[in-house]
Amino acid sequence: MSLRRSYTIIAPLYDALLATAGGGLRAASLAQLPQQGSQDILINGIGTGLDLPHLPPGHAYTGLDLTAAMLHRVKPRIRNLHMNLVQGNSMSLPFADECFDHVVLHLILAIVPDGRACLRETARVLKPGGSVLILDKFLKPSETAWFRRTLNLLSQHLVTRLDVVFEEVLAAVPELKSVSDTPVLGRGWFRSILLIKAGSTG
C-alpha cells in the first residue's frame, strides 16, 4: 500500500492519534520561529494542521502535504493565519530555490521513503542563513533496536519508518548544520533538532 493511500485512509483518525500526545512538543519546537516580522515559512508535511495553533501570526505560511484528504482537514484550523495550501511531494518540492526563510519538518523525515531526498529538497528551497525545525523519531547511530527495526518491515509501507538514523540523513546534506539536538520523548527516541543553512541572508 502506498503512503498516499495509507494517509488518505487514516486522515479521519490522525488527530485522535497524535493531537494530545504531541501538542506540547510541537509548541516548544515552533517557539523557535521568529515571533514578529513577516517571513516565508514552509510547513513541509503539514498533515491535518496540528502545528497551526502554535504558529506565530504575521508570517506567510505555505503548508504542503501529499494527500488532499489531509489538506482538507487543515482548512478549519487556518483562522487568521496567512496560509497557502499545496498538495505535493516532500521529496520533490514544487517550489523555487531559496524561497523560504524557515522550514518546519514535524513528523515527516521518518515517514517519507527517502529522508535524504526530503532534507536535500528542504535545503534547496531554504534561503542561506535560514533554519529547519525538526521533530521526529530517530534511532541513534549504531543502535541495535531490533524490535523497532523488525516492526519497520511492516510499518514503513503503512504509516512511518522506525529505522531512520538522523545523522545518516544529515550527512547527505552538508549545507545544513546542526545547532541543537534535544531528546524530548521516549528516552531520546523522539528529538527536537534545529538546523541552519550555511551562508548569510545579508
Side-chain angles (χ1 to χ4, degrees), residues 40-126:
D40 294 306
I41 300 175
L42 171 63
I43 313 297
N44 189 352
I46 195 170
T48 61
L50 295 178
D51 286 325
L52 269 62
H54 312 294
L55 294 175
H59 301 304
Y61 293 100
T62 298
L64 178 134
D65 203 85
L66 184 62
T67 70
M70 287 290 191
L71 292 175
H72 177 73
R73 293 179 175 272
V74 174
K75 294 177 181 178
R77 289 191 162 108
I78 293 177
R79 299 185 180 178
N80 64 334
L81 292 173
H82 179 191
M83 174 70 69
N84 178 41
L85 298 178
V86 177
Q87 185 174 355
N89 190 328
S90 294
M91 298 179 294
S92 181
L93 294 172
F95 308 117
D97 295 354
E98 299 183 0
C99 61
F100 293 104
D101 298 290
H102 308 277
V103 179
V104 176
L105 296 175
H106 282 179
L107 303 182
I108 186 67
L109 277 181
I111 288 177
V112 296
D114 188 344
R116 293 176 179 87
C118 179
L119 195 60
R120 278 195 295 265
E121 279 291 276
T122 294
R124 179 183 65 80
V125 303
L126 184 65

